[in-house]
């Protein structure tokens, strides 16, 4: 009995201690005069702390209630506030914005801190709200914020645009040129993610300090965004122009930046340049044109400078148009599948077919996957497209299997983003089960890009699929740098030799040596080999003579729509 009383007293003491802690945290929140909002992603739980009722006459009890905050701020601050409150959508962990209220006209600062787990998924979010009206009313701070970026001391974006507008007006009157440079620090997010935003901020400050040294009477600079800067040069000369500034930047970044906490950091920059009057006639248009060619610089491998021209503008807007059309095509499923037969080299009998997607646009023109797949991978729509390809190709295969009564191999290309999804394995097996297709009759094709980011995770998924009987093929072999290191580890059945080798295998001795080595190696490892892009009889005879197992290419058949492929299958039974 004494023991039971002791346990009860202990529980009471612990409960009292917890209650005291909760009271202490509540008092601490109230004492700093800031209101706090806490949200748990894992539990979908929301709580408000501190003097919340002094700030707002409503409670936030659900994520949907965030919209009530947008209703009380002036319209121009709604979008920045939305970006801060839903910061986890950008993958960043900290941001803030200042908003003026509609009726009371006082100023509030919203600061958000997002916490992530080891997989990068958001777990918790804390939003703090501060009344900064008094600070905004202080003329000294107002003046500084009107002209300068708080982090770097360079001109802020708004004042820079005003100043650049003056440059453009003066240039129009004096028949001069104005150059605008966008300077983007390459892969800056890796520094922030790996070393923290404090280190990232210091690196930005140091680089900004160097850019400030380049400024003068006819050169101004601003901190445009987190890791992006903008320079404007009025009436550039040989010694002070975009090219000379770029060379100065390249010289500086070859040396490391010493961070106060210890590390020495290096980085590269991608630069885009646009000039008045050639590219645009206003300040904002000049900045936009320079941004367009920054994207081009990134696409060309980063660490280079690109100059705006009409061709660059057209490429950019064509890419935007293509992306918008692709979104519509994904929504309407305006895709068709073609099937290219694969034949055994020895007896020329059908081994299987590879499913190849085509996009049928509104004018019924077929668009090659080489055109739209990179766009789909970039904007994430490849997930929906890939899901459709798996479903439709397996459905069609099941229909052929039932109609013609003999098995063959269905090869399906799978993107890297599909493999990264947690439900990928289950989704494949579910479709096979739905259409009553044996896993042994399906082959999933992967490229080396699938393996680069997360080899172990992909390997485990491939192993599960292969253990279920699904065949795995490594596509485009020989075009990357790390394929050999993967071969001994991967659970694969087939290796496809890229068309670029087949094109020159008869005319280039080095290509022949490589091709023969690949096929010998494949045989030694116990894999099957498939040669892609075989277009003539001489290529076929050579590949057969060196032991290639399977031939795919125009020599036998081009990719065919389903109805024409059915005619081919009818002759194979």
């Amino acid at each position: 009995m004494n023991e039971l009383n002791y346990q009860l007293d202990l529980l009471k003491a612990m409960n009292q201690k917890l209650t005291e802690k909760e009271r202490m945290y509540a008092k601490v929140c109230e004492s700093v005069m800031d209101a706090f909002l806490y949200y748990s992603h894992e539990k979908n739980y929301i709580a408000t702390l501190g003097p919340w009722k002094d700030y707002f006459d409503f409670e936030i009890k659900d994520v949907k209630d965030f919209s009530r905050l947008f209703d009380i701020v002036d319209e121009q601050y709604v979008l920045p506030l939305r970006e801060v409150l839903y910061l986890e959508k950008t993958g960043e962990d900290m941001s803030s914005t200042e908003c003026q209220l509609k009726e009371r006209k006082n100023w509030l600062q919203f600061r958000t801190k997002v916490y992530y787990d080891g997989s990068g998924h958001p777990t918790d979010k804390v939003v703090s709200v501060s009344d900064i009206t008094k600070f905004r009313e202080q003329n000294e701070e107002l003046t500084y914020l009107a002209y300068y970026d708080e982090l770097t001391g360079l001109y802020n974006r708004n004042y820079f645009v005003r100043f650049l507008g003056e440059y453009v007006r003066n240039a129009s009157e004096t028949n001069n040129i104005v150059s605008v440079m966008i300077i983007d620090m390459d892969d800056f997010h890796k520094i922030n993610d790996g070393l923290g935003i404090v280190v990232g901020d210091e690196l930005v400050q140091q680089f900004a300090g160097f850019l400030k040294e380049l400024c003068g009477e006819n050169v101004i600079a601003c901190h445009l965004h987190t890791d992006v800067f903008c320079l404007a040069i009025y009436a550039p000369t040989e010694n002070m122009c975009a090219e000379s500034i770029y060379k100065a930047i390249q010289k500086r970044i070859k040396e490391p930046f010493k961070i106060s906490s210890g590390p020495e950091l290096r980085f590269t920059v991608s630069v885009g340049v646009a000039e008045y009057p050639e590219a645009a006639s206003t300040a904002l248009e000049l900045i936009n044109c320079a941004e367009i060619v920054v994207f081009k610089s990134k696409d060309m491998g980063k660490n280079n400078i690109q100059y705006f021209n009409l061709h660059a503008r057209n490429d950019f807007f064509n890419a935007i148009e293509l992306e918008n059309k692709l979104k519509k095509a994904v929504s309407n499923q305006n895709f068709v599948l073609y099937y290219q037969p694969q034949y055994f080299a020895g007896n020329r009998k059908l081994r299987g077919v590879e499913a190849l997607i085509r996009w049928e646009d509104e004018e019924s023109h077929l668009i090659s996957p080489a055109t739209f797949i990179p766009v789909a991978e970039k904007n994430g729509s490849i997930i929906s497209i890939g899901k459709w390809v798996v479903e439709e190709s397996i459905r069609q295969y099941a229909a052929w299997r039932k109609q013609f009564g003999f098995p063959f191999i269905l090869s399906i290309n799978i993107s890297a983003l599909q493999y990264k999804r947690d439900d990928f394995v289950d989704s494949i097996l579910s479709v096979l089960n739905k259409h009553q297709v044996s896993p042994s009759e399906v082959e999933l094709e992967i490229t080396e890009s699938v393996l680069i980011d997360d080899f172990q995770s992909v390997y485990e998924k491939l192993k599960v699929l292969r253990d279920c009987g699904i065949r795995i093929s490594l596509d485009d072999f020989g075009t990357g740098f790390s394929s050999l290191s993967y071969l001994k580890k991967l659970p694969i059945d087939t290796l496809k030799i890229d068309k670029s080798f087949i094109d020159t295998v008869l005319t280039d001795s080095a290509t022949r040596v490589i091709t023969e080595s690949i096929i010998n190696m494949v045989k030694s490892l116990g894999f099957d080999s498939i040669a892609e892009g075989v277009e003539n009889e001489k290529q076929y005879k050579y590949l057969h003579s060196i032991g290639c197992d399977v031939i795919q290419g125009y020599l036998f058949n081009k990719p065919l729509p389903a109805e024409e492929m059915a005619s081919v299958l009818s002759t194979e039974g």
Side-chain angles (χ1 to χ4, degrees):
M1 189 66 180
N2 290 335
E3 177 63 22
L4 179 60
N5 289 335
Y6 171 77
Q7 293 294 335
L8 288 172
D9 290 340
L10 183 60
L11 287 173
K12 289 179 181 178
M14 292 174 66
N15 184 58
Q16 183 178 1
K17 188 175 182 180
L18 286 172
T19 303
E20 289 175 353
K21 281 191 173 182
E22 290 175 357
R23 183 170 177 269
M24 177 184 70
Y25 292 143
K27 292 299 182 183
V28 168
C29 291
E30 291 173 2
S31 68
V32 296
M33 302 305 292
D34 287 357
F36 296 91
L37 184 150
Y38 167 78
Y39 175 60
S40 169
H41 286 267
E42 297 173 331
K43 299 179 180 179
N44 194 27
Y45 168 76
I46 292 180
T48 55
L49 305 169
W52 183 269
K53 293 182 179 179
D54 293 343
Y55 283 83
F56 311 107
D57 58 2
F58 55 86
E59 289 289 335
I60 302 291
K61 297 181 179 180
D62 187 88
V63 175
K64 295 179 181 179
D65 292 339
F66 281 13
S67 61
R68 301 194 66 178
L69 293 170
F70 306 143
D71 295 336
I72 65 171
V73 302
D74 281 348
E75 185 175 352
Q76 61 183 309
Y77 303 109
V78 170
L79 184 58
L81 179 58
R82 185 184 301 276
E83 292 175 350
V84 168
L85 292 182
Y86 297 103
L87 182 63
E88 60 269 34
K89 291 184 177 181
T90 69
E92 297 180 18
D93 61 357
M94 186 178 295
S95 186
S96 66
T97 190
E98 297 173 2
C99 306
Q100 190 172 29
L101 303 188
K102 286 180 179 177
E103 297 179 0
R104 288 185 286 170
K105 294 301 180 183
N106 57 320
W107 287 83
L108 298 181
Q109 182 183 55
F110 293 83
R111 289 171 293 183
T112 298
K113 172 69 177 177
V114 180
Y115 298 86
Y116 299 87
D117 61 20
S119 300
H121 299 119
T123 59
D124 304 88
K125 175 167 62 178
V126 177
V127 179
S128 64
V129 186
S130 307
D131 189 330
I132 58 167
T133 307
K134 291 182 179 179
F135 295 102
R136 295 284 304 199
E137 290 173 350
Q138 293 178 7
N139 185 60
E140 182 178 348
E141 185 174 356
L142 258 177
T143 303
Y144 183 84
L145 292 176
Y147 295 102
Y148 299 101
D149 173 64
E150 192 173 9
L151 177 65
T152 64
L154 298 176
Y155 287 136
N156 65 25
R157 179 168 42 193
N158 291 337
Y159 187 66
F160 178 84
V161 171
R162 286 174 54 192
F163 212 138
L164 177 58
E166 291 296 325
Y167 272 6
V168 170
R169 281 187 286 275
N170 291 339
S172 67
E173 295 172 0
T174 58
N175 197 29
N176 262 311
I177 293 172
V178 178
S179 295
V180 170
M181 302 176 66
I182 299 289
I183 304 162
D184 191 328
M185 300 168 68
D186 294 329
D187 299 319
F188 179 75
H189 68 93
K190 293 181 179 179
I191 294 173
N192 260 358
D193 294 345
L195 300 175
I197 60 173
V198 173
V199 171
D201 283 352
E202 185 175 349
L203 182 62
V204 167
Q205 287 171 335
Q206 289 195 27
F207 185 53
F210 167 73
L211 295 179
K212 195 170 185 178
E213 294 174 3
L214 300 177
C215 296
E217 184 178 354
N218 290 333
V219 181
I220 58 173
C222 84
H223 184 209
L224 200 61
H225 187 50
T226 307
D227 55 347
V228 182
F229 299 86
C230 191
L231 267 68
I233 310 160
Y234 181 80
T237 63
E238 183 177 352
N239 294 327
M240 186 52 68
C241 61
E243 186 65 28
S244 64
I245 288 178
Y246 177 70
K247 288 179 180 178
I249 292 172
Q250 286 294 312
K251 182 179 180 181
R252 172 63 187 90
I253 63 179
K254 285 180 180 178
E255 299 297 323
F257 288 79
K258 178 69 175 177
I259 304 300
S260 59
S261 59
E264 294 186 347
L265 302 177
R266 287 183 170 86
F267 61 91
T268 60
V269 295
S270 297
V271 178
V273 180
E275 291 189 335
Y276 169 88
E278 178 189 11
S281 58
T282 69
L284 286 176
E285 287 175 352
L286 275 174
I287 293 173
N288 288 338
C289 290
E291 284 182 318
I292 287 173
V293 283
V294 163
F295 298 142
K296 182 179 178 182
S297 176
K298 295 282 190 182
D299 289 340
M300 294 181 68
K302 307 175 185 178
N303 193 28
N304 65 84
I305 184 171
Q306 295 294 320
Y307 292 84
F308 182 87
N309 53 40
L310 188 60
H311 182 68
R313 180 199 291 268
N314 290 340
D315 284 349
F316 177 77
F317 286 112
N318 287 340
I320 295 296
E321 182 181 11
L322 178 65
E323 183 166 0
N324 289 334
K325 286 183 177 180
L326 181 58
K327 289 178 181 177
K328 186 176 180 180
V330 171
S331 177
N332 297 333
Q333 292 191 345
N334 297 133
F335 301 103
V336 294
L337 286 181
Y338 276 49
Y339 301 86
Q340 186 167 33
Q342 301 169 337
Y343 294 90
F344 291 110
N347 57 16
R348 299 198 181 200
K349 291 290 186 180
L350 183 74
R351 181 254 190 190
V353 299
E354 179 182 1
L356 300 167
I357 190 172
R358 300 290 186 265
W359 170 14
E360 192 170 33
D361 67 12
E362 294 176 349
E363 291 78 33
S364 296
H365 298 141
L366 291 181
I367 302 174
S368 166
T371 300
F372 69 86
I373 290 297
V375 178
E377 289 179 333
K378 195 171 184 179
N379 67 19
S381 60
I382 191 66
I383 299 298
S384 297
I385 294 173
K387 184 177 180 181
W388 179 86
V389 169
V390 170
E391 175 74 34
E392 176 60 19
S393 60
I394 291 177
R395 183 204 63 78
Q396 180 63 74
Y397 175 82
W400 284 334
R401 185 78 164 79
K402 183 177 181 181
Q403 179 181 358
F404 299 110
F406 64 90
F408 52 95
I409 301 299
L410 171 67
S411 294
I412 308 172
N413 291 281
I414 304 294
S415 77
L417 290 179
Q418 286 176 272
Y419 275 105
K420 289 180 180 179
R421 291 182 64 87
D422 293 337
D423 64 349
F424 172 69
V425 172
D426 290 338
S427 66
I428 294 290
L429 297 177
S430 174
V431 176
L432 290 174
N433 182 63
K434 174 183 175 182
H435 294 288
Q436 297 294 294
V437 171
S438 170
S440 63
E441 295 167 19
V442 172
E443 181 174 73
L444 301 184
E445 296 193 10
I446 64 171
T447 60
E448 191 175 313
S449 62
V450 173
L451 309 167
I452 292 174
D453 291 336
D454 192 356
F455 176 87
Q456 188 60 35
S457 175
V458 172
Y459 167 80
E460 291 170 359
K461 291 174 183 175
L462 292 179
K463 190 173 185 307
V464 172
L465 290 168
R466 194 163 181 263
D467 288 344
C468 292
I470 294 175
R471 299 173 62 88
I472 305 297
S473 172
L474 184 59
D475 196 9
D476 297 336
F477 183 78
T479 59
F481 296 98
S482 305
S483 297
L484 286 173
S485 66
Y486 295 136
L487 285 182
K488 64 181 180 180
K489 303 175 184 178
L490 283 175
I492 64 174
D493 303 275
T494 307
L495 188 145
K496 299 187 77 172
I497 303 169
D498 188 68
K499 182 181 184 298
S500 60
F501 285 89
I502 309 305
D503 288 342
T504 58
V505 73
L506 298 179
T507 58
D508 182 71
S509 58
T511 303
R512 282 198 301 276
V513 170
I514 294 172
T515 304
E516 291 176 15
S517 299
I518 290 173
I519 289 176
N520 289 331
M521 177 184 62
V522 167
K523 285 191 175 298
S524 298
L525 292 171
F527 306 151
D528 292 333
S529 56
I530 298 180
E532 296 182 291
V534 179
E535 297 181 351
N536 58 62
E537 193 70 23
K538 288 183 178 180
Q539 290 174 337
Y540 160 69
K541 289 181 177 178
Y542 168 72
L543 291 164
H544 183 212
S545 71
I546 62 174
C548 183
D549 297 304
V550 180
I551 302 298
Q552 180 178 345
Y554 276 31
L555 172 63
F556 293 100
N557 252 318
K558 63 182 181 180
L560 302 170
E563 57 272 16
E564 293 184 32
M565 189 64 230
S567 298
V568 173
L569 293 172
S570 67
T571 65
E572 292 288 334

